[in-house]
Amino acid sequence: MNAHRHADGPQGWARLTDDDLVHEIAANRRAERWFTVAGACAALLTVLVVLVVAALR
Amino acid sequence: MSWPAIGHDALVTLLVVLVVVGIVPALGGIYQYLLVPVHGLRNHLRHAAPHLPRVAVVVPAWNEGAVLAASLERLMRLEYPADRLRVYVVDDASTDDTPDVVRAKAAEHPGRIHLLRREQGGQGKAHTLNHGIEHLLRDDWMQALLIMDADVIYRPDSLRRMTRHLADPQVGAVTAYIREGSGRPGAVARFIGYEYVTAQACARRAQNVMGAVACLAGGAQLHTRANLEAIGGRIDTSTLAEDTFSTFLTQLDGRTVVFDGQAVVLAEEPDSVRALWKQRVRWARGNVQITARFRRTWFRPARGHRLGRLDFGLVWFSVFALPFTLVAASTGFIGLYFVSPGTAQTLFGQLWWFGLGTYLFITITTLLVDLDTARRSWFEGLMFPGVGALVLIVASATPGFWLDTVPAWLGITLTPAGVEAWTLLLYSWPVLSMVLARLIRDVEGTRLLGWTSRPLLYLVGYGPLLCAITLDAYVREWRGAAQTWDKTEKTGRVTA
């Protein structure tokens, strides 16, 4: 569930139940996994480029 | 072996060591970046839980009339229980309309915004904060304290994303991701935007994994009341890095500091090299003071905290000593060029994969970590080390490119003297770039040469510019220059 959906002004928090907040934490944990993917992609691309340059030298 | 030969070999070895010293900070950077993906699998969110304590927000303000209204309005729109959030603006004897702005907002939001005034101001942020904290500790309403800057804009969900970590009683303080948020950022602000992804979104995540965080961002530091009281109930006033001081005290006292990259706070950053120089000299001098004050902490593993771990020390001193290591690398290469040219050429050529790999890995990761900033600052990301350093990387990877290929395109041939000059230029670039960085500051704003400052910035790069500023800060600290708390001018350009 997206917590932003309920955010409609100063009272928006009032509908953010514990369940909503728990869901938000879970969503953020999933979002953090992107950094694992990002790091792996960056490492892979780096190795690829270095190997290509090494082959062309 | 004759004595002259032994002396020659010893000198060559020393110069090679200087070159190797030059790559140590890059190793620290790579280590941090290797921990970023680990954060995706191991982070403090698994210990977080819904938690909405009574939060007192302290906003130190000195002549912040231009930006304060928007910041206060944003605070009032935070998705946080209204009865658990109070804002205290500590006016440090402003001479503009700051008190009037706060009073008007307080009237709009009765009981939620309060004005505290210091009649004798100008002592700096820490003194201003302490005035507010002293007031707040007089009763037991406050369960957590949020210290922020007057010009930052909190996203509606940012505070509750910070407080959720306080559900873990081990946590003493939480910080958020300060993102450069100017509506129409210029070149310097775009560089800063990219820098904040490296220094915060990436480095702080790595530090979360290490279990030792270097600094709670000055504009977004949330302390539990227990932590605040344990570190003395006040903010240190003896250094220029009061936020780092609090961060260290918290961890040395056995509590955890957490960075939540999903809690985003927007800030307007300086868009001129001169303003950046002023701000960063203060920060760098603060770090010198912290390094000295906590000298018994470094590289001394201890129970209860991880600030003494080898990896945290490596990361801290990689940044701290970067200007010196660049000078060491240049000295090593130039020395080798005269003492043992073959060794210099071999070493320079063999380091190509390290230079290229470091640049690519760090740049690609940084751009992927914050795609919003990448859209604004991708060019500054690519140019972060400067055109000069990129030329250096290409020269290392393909030595003939600049000496043969490019001259052939231009229909010229380099003379031996030209090759010699080019080689020395490459070897001295790390130092030369810092000298040129100083020049950028000096010409910026001048009528005749002001226009050269931006092209020079991209040539020199933002990284070497920061190194030059840091070196200047060290010199000022060493000479005991007056310690002033200069305010960075803000205009309210942040857009959420």
Side-chain angles (χ1 to χ4, degrees), chain B residues 195-213:
Chain B
E195 178 207 359
Y196 279 8
V197 186
T198 68
Q200 293 192 47
C202 293
R204 298 275 183 267
R205 278 188 170 90
Q207 290 162 19
N208 270 348
V209 175
M210 280 187 255
V213 173

Side-chain angles (χ1 to χ4, degrees), chain B residues 76-386:
Chain B
M76 292 299 99
R77 288 185 203 167
L78 281 175
E79 291 166 6
Y80 203 83
D83 62 335
R84 293 184 213 173
L85 182 73
R86 291 180 185 172
V87 179
Y88 296 83
V89 180
V90 187
D91 172 30
D92 194 32
S94 296
T95 52
D96 70 349
D97 62 344
T98 295
D100 297 331
V101 170
V102 180
R103 283 191 200 100
K105 283 289 163 194
E108 279 178 42
H109 305 279
R112 299 187 66 200
I113 296 177
H114 306 265
L115 174 65
L116 303 174
R117 176 143 173 113
R118 291 185 83 214
E119 292 303 333
Q120 192 181 11
Q123 289 177 291
K125 182 179 174 183
H127 286 278
T128 313
L129 288 172
N130 284 333
H131 185 83
I133 292 169
E134 194 185 324
H135 177 87
L136 289 166
L137 287 175
R138 283 187 198 139
D139 63 42
D140 58 2
W141 185 86
M142 176 182 71
Q143 292 174 316
L145 171 77
L146 176 69
I147 295 173
M148 62 174 278
D149 292 333
D151 58 307
V152 299
I153 298 288
Y154 274 67
R155 285 196 169 170
D157 53 16
S158 51
L159 179 57
R160 69 162 191 265
R161 289 185 178 190
M162 293 171 80
T163 58
R164 61 192 176 182
H165 296 282
L166 301 185
D168 175 1
Q170 184 59 34
V171 174
V174 182
T175 190
Y177 171 28
I178 306 266
R179 179 190 276 167
E180 208 293 316
S182 304
R184 299 178 69 182
V188 177
R190 288 198 299 274
F191 269 119
I192 295 174
Y194 179 83
E195 178 207 359
Y196 279 8
V197 186
T198 68
Q200 293 192 47
C202 293
R204 298 275 183 267
R205 278 188 170 90
Q207 290 162 19
N208 270 348
V209 175
M210 280 187 255
V213 173
C215 184
L216 291 155
Q221 38 182 319
L222 180 74
H223 294 269
T224 63
R225 184 184 183 115
N227 184 56
L228 184 68
E229 289 175 335
I231 63 174
R234 61 195 306 279
I235 302 298
D236 172 72
T237 55
S238 64
T239 70
L240 287 166
E242 77 290 336
D243 41 12
T244 312
F245 204 96
S246 303
T247 314
F248 274 55
L249 285 187
T250 298
Q251 293 170 101
L252 287 172
D253 212 34
R255 281 174 298 279
T256 307
V257 170
V258 175
F259 166 79
D260 192 326
Q262 307 286 341
V264 177
V265 177
L266 302 170
E268 174 194 343
E269 296 301 335
D271 202 15
S272 76
V273 173
R274 275 172 181 266
L276 177 78
W277 201 289
K278 193 169 80 169
Q279 179 195 54
R280 298 309 173 89
V281 160
R282 176 162 47 84
W283 291 9
R285 287 189 68 182
N287 282 342
V288 177
Q289 293 161 358
I290 294 290
T291 306
R293 288 287 285 273
F294 295 96
R295 58 187 173 278
R296 295 186 203 291
T297 303
W298 308 115
F299 302 111
R300 296 184 190 188
R303 282 173 181 238
H305 71 84
R306 296 183 179 182
L307 294 175
R309 276 174 46 152
L310 177 68
D311 56 355
F312 184 71
L314 173 71
V315 165
W316 179 273
F317 283 97
S318 289
V319 177
F320 184 83
L322 188 56
F324 303 118
T325 59
L326 288 180
V327 174
S330 262
T331 308
F333 271 121
I334 293 170
L336 282 172
Y337 180 78
F338 290 109
V339 176
S340 175
T343 309
Q345 196 178 2
T346 307
L347 204 55
F348 186 70
Q350 282 182 346
L351 285 173
W352 73 268
W353 61 271
F354 183 76
L356 180 64
T358 305
Y359 170 69
L360 287 175
F361 180 53
I362 289 180
T363 306
I364 298 169
T365 306
T366 307
L367 292 174
L368 290 175
V369 158
D370 185 342
L371 295 172
D372 287 339
T373 302
R375 271 188 283 275
R376 287 155 61 104
S377 302
W378 64 269
F379 187 65
E380 284 67 28
L382 296 177
M383 293 292 121
F384 198 79

Side-chain angles (χ1 to χ4, degrees), chain A residues 3-4 7 10 13 16 18 21-22 24-25 28-29 31-36 38-39 42-43 45-46 49-50 53-54 57, chain B residues 37 39-40 43 45-46 49-50 79-82 157 160-161 164 205 262 349 352 357 360-361 364-365 368-369 396-397:
Chain A
H4 286 290
W13 68 272
L16 283 171
D18 273 7
L21 295 172
V22 166
E24 184 178 42
I25 292 169
N28 285 172
R29 284 188 74 180
E32 284 291 324
R33 287 183 201 142
W34 162 246
F35 302 113
T36 306
L45 266 169
T46 301
V49 173
V50 169
V53 174
R57 280 181 95 217
Chain B
H39 194 267
N43 55 62
L45 282 168
R46 68 185 189 276
E79 291 166 6
Y80 203 83
D157 53 16
R160 69 162 191 265
R161 289 185 178 190
R164 61 192 176 182
R205 278 188 170 90
Q262 307 286 341
W352 73 268
L360 287 175
F361 180 53
I364 298 169
T365 306
L368 290 175
V369 158
S396 175

Side-chain angles (χ1 to χ4, degrees), chain B residues 26-50:
Chain B
L27 291 174
I30 292 169
Y31 175 70
Q32 282 205 101
Y33 269 76
L34 286 172
L35 294 183
V36 174
V38 179
H39 194 267
L41 306 170
R42 218 180 83 190
N43 55 62
H44 192 265
L45 282 168
R46 68 185 189 276
H47 300 298

